[in-house]
Amino acid sequence: MPDSAQPSKLRIDLNLLHPREIEAKLPEKFLKWLITYGRFIVILVEVVVVGAFLTRFKYDADLDNLKVRIKQDLPYVEGQSTDEALINQTQTKLALLDKAYLNSDKWQESIIELSSQTPGSVQFIGLLLEEKDEQTINFKISASTLSNTDLGIFLNSLRSQENLRDINLANISFDNEQIVFTITGARLKT
Amino acid sequence: MNPKASRYYTYIRPILRNKFAKTYSSLIFSLITIFVFSFYAIRPTVTTILSLQKSITEQTSIQTKLQQKVSNLSQGKLNYENIDPQVKTKVNNLIPDNPDLARLVNSLNYAADQAEASVAGIQIQAVELEDKKNQLTRDAPLGQVEFTLNTQGSFPTLMKLLTKLKRTDRLFTISSVNFAQPPDSGLIMSINGKAYFVKN
């Protein structure tokens, strides 16, 4: 067949090889990054910053409101300072009165209790009662007796009382057939 | 000058051709950007927000306490006004705003008279005397006047005196009681006690 009779061949330039990457320059690379990842980072940062600013405005407003409310309450409290002092002092006085009256009976009670335990032959020369603390009274009995037995009974009687503690015969001496002695101890408030 | 001999070709190009640099350059750029933004844009705002939050917490606490105080003051004032005026006067006499030694001595003598005990002596420890101030102090401390009361009488009389001391118009607390029986004499009772006043 003559060449002219043949259909003209369709020529396609097809390069099946992967084109070799044209190496980008640094500014070009940076620009490419800037419009891809960089853009999202900037948007994200802007969102965070705007959010933070909005939060800040809200907190500023809250703080202002609180300050205004405090300023409103403060003059009232300051104006009541005299009444406050009066109320405080009255409370202090009432608390002291309460405490004092609650403890006021312990002296008579102690004296009555000690005397009720004393045998008839024992004569008191002296009796000292001292407050140790709110619950305890220390006592010191100076007395005399003719009977050794009565001294023993007196001591045992004091020791048998539940609210009497640390009963001790601190001193004993003899004077003209009389036994002179000193007993110390503590009485707990019942 | 041969461009191939420039610094770019000598120092930077080898780095850019480095496979590691090619792969991670985007990540590194991103990290640097995030760090820069975090440090210069977000951090100051976050610091301010945290500072504001702290201030708000403090101010809220102050405001709550203030509200509580306002409420307590109103209630306290109401309670105080509800106290019988006679009771107020009695309380103020029991614990006055100054040592008021004259009334203290009178009260002790009156109690002894009521109990029919004779007063042998009254000793009062040194106490600072001040003029009465018109201004009340909020946290005024309590002052004490220490005294010793020496009395003489029978045992029932002295016991009665101990009871009467609880009912005087001045508050006394007793620190110690000492009974002594000297020969050829009546029973002597020595009381160490304290009277109170408010130091304004």
Side-chain angles (χ1 to χ4, degrees):
Chain A
M1 283 177 73
D3 284 345
S4 58
Q6 286 181 346
S8 61
K9 284 183 180 175
L10 183 65
R11 285 184 65 190
I12 299 169
D13 283 330
L14 182 63
N15 185 1
L16 292 175
L17 288 172
H18 188 271
R20 198 176 171 195
E21 191 183 338
I22 301 162
E23 200 173 306
K25 289 182 181 175
L26 184 65
E28 195 183 325
K29 262 192 155 182
F30 181 70
L31 195 67
K32 199 176 165 188
W33 173 85
L34 210 59
I35 57 174
T36 52
Y37 296 105
R39 185 176 54 178
F40 291 111
I41 290 169
V42 169
I43 289 167
L44 191 71
V45 168
E46 277 182 9
V47 167
V48 172
V49 169
V50 168
F53 267 108
L54 289 175
T55 315
R56 192 182 156 173
F57 289 141
K58 186 194 170 292
Y59 283 157
D60 270 331
D62 288 352
L63 192 62
D64 276 345
N65 282 341
L66 277 170
K67 281 180 180 171
V68 167
R69 271 188 271 170
I70 288 169
K71 271 184 185 172
Q72 282 170 351
D73 286 343
L74 214 53
Y76 176 78
V77 174
E78 283 171 352
Q80 300 291 321
S81 62
T82 311
D83 285 337
E84 190 189 356
L86 192 63
I87 292 163
N88 273 349
Q89 288 192 7
T90 308
Q91 281 180 327
T92 311
K93 286 176 183 180
L94 289 174
L96 178 64
L97 286 170
D98 186 40
K99 195 176 149 190
Y101 283 124
L102 273 176
N103 287 318
S104 62
D105 288 334
K106 63 186 176 189
W107 303 100
Q108 286 104 313
E109 284 172 4
S110 301
I111 294 165
I112 289 165
E113 185 171 0
L114 291 173
S115 63
S116 69
Q117 304 300 320
T118 312
S121 70
V122 173
Q123 273 199 318
F124 277 22
I125 301 165
L127 170 64
L128 172 65
L129 301 165
E130 275 180 326
E131 188 175 46
K132 187 184 174 192
D133 53 53
E134 282 180 16
Q135 297 295 318
T136 318
I137 289 178
N138 286 340
F139 63 84
K140 184 178 171 184
I141 300 167
S142 301
S144 67
T145 181
L146 289 167
S147 165
N148 193 17
T149 317
D150 281 352
L151 171 59
I153 290 170
F154 186 33
L155 269 172
N156 286 333
S157 172
L158 291 175
R159 282 178 180 150
S160 66
Q161 298 299 307
E162 280 185 5
N163 59 332
L164 299 183
R165 302 277 162 85
D166 307 325
I167 305 295
N168 284 313
L169 183 61
N171 186 34
I172 185 163
S173 61
F174 298 92
D175 182 23
N176 293 332
E177 295 181 357
Q178 277 203 327
I179 305 165
V180 181
F181 59 92
T182 305
I183 294 173
T184 58
R187 181 183 180 271
L188 300 177
K189 192 186 170 191
T190 46
Chain B
M1 186 187 162
N2 181 7
K4 297 275 180 186
S6 70
R7 283 182 182 179
Y8 173 80
Y9 286 101
T10 313
Y11 299 110
I12 300 174
R13 199 175 179 196
I15 295 169
L16 293 178
R17 284 192 169 175
N18 186 317
K19 202 174 176 182
F20 181 85
K22 275 183 184 176
T23 316
Y24 292 104
S25 59
S26 296
L27 181 68
I28 290 162
F29 282 144
S30 304
L31 288 176
I32 290 169
T33 315
I34 288 168
F35 174 77
V36 169
F37 277 124
S38 302
F39 196 82
Y40 290 105
I42 298 172
R43 188 172 156 271
T45 318
V46 170
T47 311
T48 314
I49 287 171
L50 290 177
S51 154
L52 276 170
Q53 269 184 331
K54 199 180 165 191
S55 300
I56 286 171
T57 313
E58 285 171 1
Q59 297 286 331
T60 308
S61 163
I62 291 169
Q63 211 249 335
T64 311
K65 282 177 185 167
L66 213 56
Q67 284 287 329
Q68 186 69 42
K69 190 161 185 169
V70 168
S71 162
N72 288 347
L73 271 174
S74 305
Q75 187 62 47
K77 208 173 165 184
L78 197 70
N79 290 347
Y80 184 77
E81 280 163 5
N82 284 338
I83 298 175
D84 189 333
Q86 282 186 332
V87 174
K88 282 183 202 169
T89 311
K90 207 167 182 179
V91 168
N92 288 331
N93 285 338
L94 283 163
I95 307 168
D97 296 335
N98 58 73
D100 204 353
L101 297 180
R103 206 153 55 78
L104 167 63
V105 173
N106 276 342
S107 295
L108 292 172
N109 272 323
Y110 182 75
D113 280 350
Q114 289 281 303
E116 295 170 351
S118 58
V119 176
I122 299 171
Q123 286 180 315
I124 294 173
Q125 298 298 316
V127 62
E128 196 178 337
L129 297 173
E130 286 179 6
D131 290 335
K132 192 176 176 180
K133 290 171 187 167
N134 291 326
Q135 187 70 37
L136 292 173
T137 316
R138 191 173 156 264
D139 295 314
L142 283 171
Q144 296 178 349
V145 183
E146 291 183 18
F147 66 88
T148 304
L149 171 67
N150 294 312
T151 52
Q152 202 168 7
S154 63
F155 181 69
T157 304
L158 298 178
M159 287 295 279
K160 196 175 171 187
L161 172 59
L162 280 175
T163 310
K164 291 287 176 191
L165 282 174
K166 290 191 290 184
R167 293 173 190 161
T168 53
D169 60 351
R170 187 77 190 261
L171 177 73
F172 302 119
T173 57
I174 296 171
S175 313
S176 71
V177 179
N178 190 16
F179 288 92
Q181 175 73 72
D184 309 324
S185 172
L187 189 60
I188 290 173
M189 181 174 72
S190 182
I191 296 172
N192 286 314
K194 289 172 194 165
Y196 298 89
F197 65 98
V198 177
K199 283 181 176 176
N200 270 314

